[in-house]
Each structure stands twice: as C-alpha cells, then as structure tokens.
C-alpha cells in the first residue's frame, strides 16, 4: 500500500517538475529580474536594511525577526542533504541549476515580500496577516485561487516543513549515534510543542538566536573542508558548470543523463532550499514592522542570497570536491555522501554536521508551523488553528520513522502545487510591484512612510 502511494506521488511530482514547471519558475525569475531592473544589484543595501530596526512602523515582529524566521524555514536540510540528493540524482551539474535558481530567485523573493506587505490586513486584535492568499484575494479578486494556495500550503507544511526535517534529524542521529528513530521523533515533537505555543513572537525569538549561530558554524565548516580539498576546488567548479549542460561530461561514475533531469533536480532542490516563488516566506514577511512595502521586499530578498547563493553553493563545492579528492566516497546516497564529506574534518566533523542538521531542520519545522497555521487561519478562522498545531506536532514524530523517498517526493509535489498560484499572483501583479519599486526605490524614497490610503487595511 505504501509503495503504491509512493509511486503515485513520485509520478505526480515528476510530471509537475518537467519542462512546464521549470519554464514557469525560471521564467518568472527572469521576467521579474528584467522588469525590476535587476534588483540583485541592491543586495548589499538590502543586507544593511535587514540589520536596521524600523522603529515606530506597523507590524508584529522586527524586520530581522521576520527575516530570521523566513531563513529558519529555508536554511534546512535542503542546503545540506537536499544538495547532496540533487548531486546523486542529477549529477554535479545540478549544483549549477540550484545556484542559478537562487541568483534569479532574489528578484522573485523581493516581489513576494513587496506584495505581502502591500496587501496585508490588520485583524481586530491588531495582528498583521498577509501572504499570497491576500494578494490573490485583495489584489486580483481571485478568492478561489487564494483558497487553493492555502490548502497547498497546509499540505506543504507537513512535507517540506515537517516530515523531511524530522526524517533528516532521526536518520542522522541513528547513523551517527545509533539513537532509535522513535526516540528522536519523540524528542523533536516535544521540543516543537514547547516553542509553537508562543506563536510568531516566540518562533521569531528562537529563530533570531538560532539562525546566525548555526549558519556561521556551518559556513566555517564548509570553508575548512574547501581548504583541505584546495587542490580539487577549481576542478570541482569546472565540473559543475560543464556537466550542467553536458551531464555525460561528469564521467567518473557520476550519474549521467539528460539536461532536463540535471536541471530538474537542481531547480527542485533550489526551490526546496530558498523557496523563492513558492509563497511561503511572504507569510511571515507580512508580519514585519516596516514603513513601506519596498523596505521589507529588500530585506526578504536577502534570504535567497544567504540560503542559496552562499550556503547551497558552498555545500555543492564541498561535496563535489570531496568526491574528486576521495575516490573511496560513495556518491549514490545523499545523506551518506554528506556525512562522509564532513567526516574529513578531524574530531569535530561529525558533531558539526549533526549540530547543523538538527538546528537547521528544527528551525525549519518552527517556521513552517507558522506558515501552515496562517494558511489554516485564512481557511477556517481561528477555529482550527489549535487542532492544526496538535496534528503538526504529532506529524513530526511520524516523519522521523517513514521512508526518506516517500518524504522527498511528497515535498517536491507540494512545493510545485504551492508555487503555481503564487507565481500567477506575481505575474499579474507585476505592474503594482514595478510602481511601488519606482516610488520608493528608484526615486530614492525608502525612508518614507507608506500612505495608508494606498492600501487601507
């Protein structure tokens, strides 16, 4: 029964992630990049804004808190095991497509953040609610598509945001320390329960502490491995670029195949990692204290930069250079490949990887719990949000004990289903996005307060 379900999910995922989804996703990235005059150029300004408190502005959490929560939900197993899985299934060229998705995805993440703030609403108790569902309803009058997006978001919160993450934690703890998966699953579920009861402010507070530390430690570990593999880094970079367009050129036992398969796994893992175009991060961006939509849009765009352009690229270089440097490494299993690569760091390699995956995955679970809850709130009001939290917490336990293949295929499928309505909203609202960008960014008015009459809440 489980095998039949797994095959059905895999078939649907493969269909959605064919050329249509690749064209739609990358096409939106490119379209917004050109129409917004390459907002990637403003990335360093955006980084400075992300570290600046926008005091006095409307919102529930700081801009950095919103960014940290979004990063917590994106910097996860997609950066580590996801990249390794892309390499084992699509060859080293998949790293290039993953990275390219991040570079152009900065524009899409910018656009998502802008419309999230532009069309957010304030509830009767003063809380901010926003995201693609409100952009679809208030900006385009497509309530039905907003409902579909929320249904897909709830489903995705159990795939990319829950099952994948708890599965990665339990698998690593078992392989490294022989901790039974049931024990890991129970510990994760209890830890998640202790945090989510405090809502977005509690999640943002925990993520603001976790994200910078875990990202710094992980990056330092990657830099050390690249230093050790220094003689192979150039060759690895060349192999990644060449095999992106000629998978057979990888040779040496790497999986060969078509460009479509290499691009498919690279782009799928890129989206899984940075979520640009998926519509998840805007849900928390809408809660940020910001004086105008463009400020938060710039801050949101940095999430894709850190997640994919920096961390995923480092991971890809580490893994491919390690395979070239150590022919004994088996590269037909993503998690095992990552573990062997980090074992090359004397004494602290395995603990560093374990700490990185556990903290990355745990924080991702927290961020996605918030996303799923807000989608559920849009669908049902406050009536079922507590029920959702309970089911979400229980699901973290079961995610720890199911087969990885089932989990990854479900994650890919729900990612695609979420992305479609969100990308529709970005394309049809691109004129609004350009107008807001012109007003605040191109005319250098970032410090101005948005006029409430432009978008009454």
């Amino acid at each position: 029964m489980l095998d039949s379900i797994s095959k059905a999910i895999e078939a649907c995922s493969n269909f959605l992630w064919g050329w249509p989804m690749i064209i739609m996703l990358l096409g939106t990235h490119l379209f917004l990049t050109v129409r917004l005059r390459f907002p990637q150029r403003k990335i360093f300004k955006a980084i400075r804004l992300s570290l600046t408190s926008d005091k006095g502005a409307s919102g529930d959490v700081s801009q950095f808190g919103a960014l940290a929560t979004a990063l917590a939900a994106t910097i996860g197993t997609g950066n580590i095991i996801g990249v390794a899985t892309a390499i084992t299934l699509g060859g080293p060229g998949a790293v290039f497509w993953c990275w390219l998705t991040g570079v152009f995805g900065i524009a899409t993440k910018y656009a998502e953040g802008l419309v999230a703030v532009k069309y957010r609403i304030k509830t009767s108790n003063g809380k901010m609610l926003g995201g693609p569902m409100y952009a679809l309803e208030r900006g385009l009058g497509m309530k039905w598509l907003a409902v579909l997006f929320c249904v897909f978001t709830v489903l995705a919160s159990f795939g990319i945001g829950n099952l994948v993450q708890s599965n990665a934690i339990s698998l690593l703890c078992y392989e490294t320390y022989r901790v039974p998966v049931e024990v890991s699953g129970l510990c994760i579920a209890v830890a998640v329960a202790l945090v989510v009861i405090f809502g977005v402010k509690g999640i943002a507070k925990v993520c603001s502490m976790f994200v910078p530390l875990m990202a710094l430690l992980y990056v330092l570990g990657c830099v050390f491995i690249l230093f050790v593999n220094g003689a192979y880094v150039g060759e690895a970079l060349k192999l990644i670029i060449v095999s992106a367009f000629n998978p057979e050129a990888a040779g040496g036992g790497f999986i060969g195949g078509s460009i479509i398969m290499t691009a498919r796994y690279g782009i799928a893992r890129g989206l899984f990692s940075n979520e640009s175009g998926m519509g998840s991060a805007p849900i928390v961006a809408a809660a940020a204290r910001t004086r105008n939509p463009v400020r938060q849009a710039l801050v949101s765009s940095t999430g894709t930069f850190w997640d994919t352009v920096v961390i995923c690229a480092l991971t890809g270089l580490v893994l491919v250079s390690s395979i070239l440097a150590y022919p004994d490494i088996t590269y037909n299993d993503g998690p095992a490949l990552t573990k062997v690569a980090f074992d090359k760091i004397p004494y602290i390699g395995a603990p560093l990887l374990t700490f990185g995956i556990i903290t990355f995955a745990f924080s991702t679970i927290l961020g996605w719990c918030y996303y799923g809850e807000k989608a559920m709130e849009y669908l049902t009001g406050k009536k079922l949000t507590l029920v959702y939290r309970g089911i979400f917490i229980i699901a973290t336990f079961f995610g720890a004990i199911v087969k990885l293949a089932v989990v990854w295929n479900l994650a890919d499928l729900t990612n695609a289903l979420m992305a479609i309505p969100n990308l529709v909203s970005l394309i049809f609202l691109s004129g609004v996005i350009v107008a807001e960008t012109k007003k605040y960014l191109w005319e250098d008015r970032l410090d101005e307060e948005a006029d409430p009459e432009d978008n009454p809440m």
Side-chain angles (χ1 to χ4, degrees), residues 55-301:
K55 296 180 180 179
S58 299
D60 301 331
V61 296
S62 68
Q63 287 181 312
F64 181 76
L67 174 63
T69 303
L71 278 173
T74 53
I75 299 180
T77 54
N79 301 91
I80 306 175
I81 295 178
V83 174
T85 303
I87 293 172
T88 58
L89 296 176
V95 176
F96 173 84
W97 292 106
C98 179
W99 181 81
L100 197 66
T101 301
V103 171
F104 290 109
I106 290 173
T108 301
K109 186 63 72 71
Y110 168 91
E112 290 177 315
L114 192 154
V115 295
V117 176
K118 173 72 176 175
Y119 294 107
R120 68 183 178 180
I121 65 171
K122 183 182 288 187
T123 64
S124 57
N125 61 0
K127 300 293 183 183
M128 293 292 188
L129 296 177
M133 54 280 211
Y134 293 94
L136 286 164
E137 179 185 352
R138 304 184 74 215
L140 296 174
M142 294 182 176
K143 173 82 172 179
W144 65 273
L145 197 54
V147 170
L148 280 179
F149 172 82
C150 287
V151 170
F152 298 150
T153 300
V154 172
L155 293 174
S157 71
F158 290 101
I160 181 177
N162 188 320
L163 301 178
V164 165
Q165 312 303 330
S166 59
N167 187 283
I169 293 174
S170 65
L171 181 64
L172 185 67
C173 288
Y174 177 77
E175 290 187 348
T176 307
Y177 303 108
R178 293 301 168 188
V179 178
V181 292
E182 295 81 3
V183 173
S184 297
L186 183 60
C187 291
I188 300 165
V190 171
V192 169
L194 292 175
V195 177
V196 300
I197 59 174
F198 294 104
V200 65
K201 290 185 179 179
I203 292 173
K205 185 175 182 180
V206 172
C207 293
S208 294
M209 294 185 294
F210 260 130
V211 171
L213 175 62
M214 68 186 188
L216 177 62
L217 290 176
Y218 180 75
V219 168
L220 289 176
C222 288
V223 170
F224 179 84
I225 296 175
L226 290 176
F227 176 77
V228 174
N229 296 348
Y232 298 90
V233 171
E235 185 179 349
L237 184 60
K238 179 180 177 181
L239 182 63
I240 288 170
I241 295 173
V242 171
S243 59
F245 303 97
N246 182 16
E248 297 293 341
F254 280 110
I255 294 176
S258 64
I259 294 178
I260 182 64
M261 290 303 293
T262 300
R264 183 259 196 226
Y265 285 110
I267 292 173
R269 293 297 175 253
L271 175 60
F272 178 91
S273 176
N274 64 56
E275 299 173 17
S276 292
M278 213 164 108
S280 51
I283 298 175
V284 70
R289 289 191 292 270
T290 184
R291 66 189 73 178
N292 61 63
V294 172
R295 286 178 72 93
Q296 182 56 38
L298 287 168
V299 172
S300 294
S301 72

Side-chain angles (χ1 to χ4, degrees), residues 12-13 16-17 21 145 148-153 155-156 271 277-278 410-423:
C12 291
S13 177
L16 286 174
W17 280 106
M21 178 54 69
L145 197 54
L148 280 179
F149 172 82
C150 287
V151 170
F152 298 150
T153 300
L155 293 174
L271 175 60
M278 213 164 108
L410 177 63
D412 278 349
L413 175 61
T414 52
N415 286 359
L417 291 175
M418 266 188 79
I420 293 170
N422 179 58
L423 293 175

Side-chain angles (χ1 to χ4, degrees), residues 129 373-386:
L129 296 177
E373 183 177 327
K374 292 306 171 187
M376 182 64 74
E377 186 173 340
Y378 180 87
L379 293 171
T380 67
K382 283 284 189 180
K383 292 180 289 187
L384 295 179
T385 53
L386 289 179

